[in-house]
Amino acid sequence: MAAATSLLRHLQNKGLITDSDISKVVLEKSRTQKPEEVILLELGLVTESDIAKSKSEIFGIPFVDLKEISIPESVLAEVNIDGLSKYRAVPFERGNDFVKIAMQDPFDVQATQALQRNYPAGTRIQVYITTKEAINSVLDRRVGDVMSSEVSEALEDVEVPVTEISEDPNLFSSSNLSSAPVARIVNSMLQYAVTSKASDIHIEPMEKRVRVRFRIHGVMTERLSLPKTLAPAIVSRIKILSNLKIDERRLPQDGRFPIKIEDTKIDLRVSIMPTVHGEKVVMRLLESGAGDITLETTGLRGNAYKVFVDALSVTNGISLVTGPTGSGKTRTLASSLIKINDPKVNIISLEDPVEIRIPGVTQVQINPDIGLTFANGLRSVLRQDPDIVMVGEIRDEETAQLAVQASLTGHLVLSTLHTNSAAAAIPRLLDMGVESYLLASTLRCIVAQRLPRRICTDCIEAYPAPPEVVRNIQQVLGEKQKFDLVPYLQRVYESKRASANGEQVIMRPPEIGADGEPVIYLYRGKGCDKCGGMGYSGRVGIFEVLDVSEKISRMIMDNVSADEIRDVAVEEGMLTMLQDGYLKALEGITTLEEVLRVSKE
């Protein structure tokens, strides 16, 4: 407590916080029992660097900015990457009888003793303090380097030509492969995928090599190139982990297996497909558990959020989420179920596969191989006395008909469709054979979405939008009734500044240029260590939510086209996906390039 109090006083003496700020921190600490450092960061009163430098001055522990120094590979290599991650420590300088280590918590004696065991007797550890962000940046780079070096070492250990042993599938027992070089290669790829927050791993045989790509924040990035002769062994290793047939190379196979890296448990969904150059493997990483998923963090907001939540609060009807594969439909549905999950209601879901496990919700895994399809499963679910039913996808006429019947008999039904817009879902269901009068009476709302990448907040910069881009923005947003761009941006900026609690606001207000014309700002990421030079970190949803009003219900009964329904929805206040994306680009959340990229899918 004394140290924490000293920290607050020191920050005040440096002019970084005020008496009022200290009162806020003390009050919040008494209410939540969170550490003062966490509260200071959450309130945006100081930065991590401010706290680390203040603790350095208070306790006499030297501060080091890891971004300003080049760390030799040999120094990092002396300690296993898992140990560095566990103790949040980075060795950055080595002498004959000493090593300098930067730590997030320099008072962690247990960590210091554990790190000491990695060095010869008599080696002195000199502890420095640094920020969590700096440590994460170094360790993230280190994981990528470790993957490359481990793969290189494993390749050197492959003494027997892989083409020889790959012909005999009996050699690929789990005991043999668990210690084989190929197992280390697969493990390195999995660890890198988890650390870099990749959603998919693609192992692709080509004519002369094997290409390994990772989908990070929705974009494919090549990270490894392996010898072609290694492909059969890698595929066999993954087949064993997934409990698939090793000797079946002519037909596609699907499986899954779990892994645990540090405290993160990941389920991997595996798809193996024969190609002209060999078998291609795609592994999708699915985090077990709902974690911190909420409807508010998806990017759904404003009137669109209200319309969707209102549709979730009724006791019957159908609400749909549409979009292509990888557009975030599963996460939106999961966050919807979490929001309405209550012990008083019986919620059952049919999914293929079950990607996000939600406590309190009965989740059923579809298995067409044994006859458990969405349609058959839905029939059985309706005999389980459900209040709310989530159908992973409406794929055929039978499932569509059953979903409509379920909603007519007093159930709230949530599901997905693969359509490019919200309005396009209506003719799609009519084409599946659903009667127009039944659809008009059961459909509550339709959500369409995409997932552009977020701008990295550590390297974001503003730049004035060119005149032709401003004209395009005004044209797109001009469809929104009574919309005036400059006053809108000024209002949004004032609102963000009022709720920032002293934290710097990323967004810049519009200005008047030398020619008297308004200057509108857009945003981009310059690229930094934290985002791997990409300028992006994470993804955010852009949405359009079509509220099925009485007028639109009558249009459905009259079999009106999707374009006409879309126009009426816009007249009634619907924000299109493109408009929602443009507004988020103007607020510094994403870029126009990203919005246009995903909107073309």
Side-chain angles (χ1 to χ4, degrees), residues 228-245:
K228 179 68 180 290
T229 53
L230 206 59
I234 288 177
V235 174
S236 294
R237 169 65 177 165
I238 294 170
K239 284 180 178 178
I240 285 174
L241 292 171
S242 310
N243 199 26
L244 299 176
K245 297 177 181 177

Side-chain angles (χ1 to χ4, degrees), residues 262-561:
E262 294 184 8
D263 296 327
T264 305
K265 186 178 179 184
I266 303 289
D267 285 328
L268 285 100
R269 191 175 73 196
V270 179
S271 173
I272 299 178
M273 174 75 70
T275 72
V276 291
H277 294 302
E279 292 178 283
K280 173 177 176 175
V281 179
V282 177
M283 293 184 281
R284 170 154 289 186
L285 284 74
L286 310 168
E287 276 201 48
S288 298
D292 58 352
I293 294 176
T294 64
L295 196 56
E296 290 76 12
T297 58
T298 60
L300 199 59
R301 60 185 190 174
N303 186 60
Y305 176 84
K306 180 181 180 301
V307 169
F308 187 49
V309 171
D310 287 346
L312 295 176
S313 64
V314 298
T315 56
N316 59 61
I318 300 176
S319 291
L320 298 174
V321 181
T322 72
T325 300
S327 60
K329 300 187 299 296
T330 299
R331 188 180 180 90
T332 298
L333 280 180
S335 59
S336 304
L337 292 182
I338 291 169
K339 187 169 189 65
I340 58 180
N341 191 9
D342 189 284
K344 298 176 184 177
V345 295
N346 180 20
I347 304 177
I348 303 179
S349 73
L350 295 166
E351 303 173 62
D352 184 19
V354 176
E355 296 187 7
I356 301 171
R357 289 177 170 79
I358 306 170
V361 174
T362 302
Q363 296 175 274
V364 180
Q365 170 78 50
I366 292 301
N367 189 347
D369 293 339
I370 60 172
L372 181 54
T373 62
F374 279 117
N376 292 339
L378 187 51
R379 285 195 187 88
S380 299
V381 162
L382 294 176
R383 292 192 287 270
Q384 291 278 316
D385 186 31
D387 297 294
I388 300 168
V389 178
M390 195 274 272
V391 181
E393 183 184 346
I394 296 178
R395 296 176 178 172
D396 52 45
E397 178 179 348
E398 188 177 12
T399 308
Q401 297 281 7
L402 286 168
V404 169
Q405 292 300 323
S407 68
L408 286 171
T409 53
H411 303 90
L412 175 61
V413 179
L414 309 178
S415 190
T416 70
L417 272 179
H418 286 280
T419 60
N420 289 326
S421 67
I426 294 170
R428 175 72 183 277
L429 289 170
L430 294 174
D431 288 343
M432 286 184 180
V434 178
E435 295 291 344
S436 58
Y437 69 93
L438 292 176
L439 190 60
S441 61
T442 56
L443 205 53
R444 294 286 180 262
C445 86
I446 308 169
V447 179
Q449 69 176 92
R450 300 290 190 277
L451 280 180
R453 291 178 288 176
R454 282 183 181 270
I455 300 174
C456 173
T457 55
D458 285 79
C459 62
I460 188 171
E461 65 174 1
Y463 67 96
E468 62 273 14
V469 175
V470 174
R471 286 193 293 271
N472 175 256
I473 292 171
Q474 290 175 325
Q475 180 182 354
V476 170
L477 296 177
E479 296 182 36
K480 183 174 166 59
Q481 291 182 334
K482 300 178 182 178
F483 183 81
D484 196 337
L485 181 59
V486 173
Y488 170 82
L489 292 177
Q490 189 65 47
R491 288 196 304 272
V492 172
Y493 171 74
E494 294 296 341
S495 173
K496 287 181 179 292
R497 193 172 67 170
S499 60
N501 292 322
E503 190 177 350
Q504 183 179 1
V505 177
I506 291 174
M507 182 182 174
R508 288 185 62 174
E511 301 171 357
I512 302 299
D515 57 359
E517 293 295 319
V519 177
I520 305 300
Y521 287 93
L522 291 173
Y523 306 86
R524 61 194 170 203
K526 291 180 289 187
C528 63
D529 289 339
K530 192 168 183 180
C531 63
M534 298 172 66
Y536 296 99
S537 180
R539 291 190 286 176
V540 65
I542 58 174
F543 297 85
E544 63 182 32
V545 180
L546 191 153
D547 185 11
V548 182
S549 62
E550 290 186 15
K551 185 173 182 179
I552 291 178
S553 292
R554 289 195 296 271
M555 296 175 75
I556 294 173
M557 292 182 67
D558 295 336
N559 287 314
V560 174
S561 70

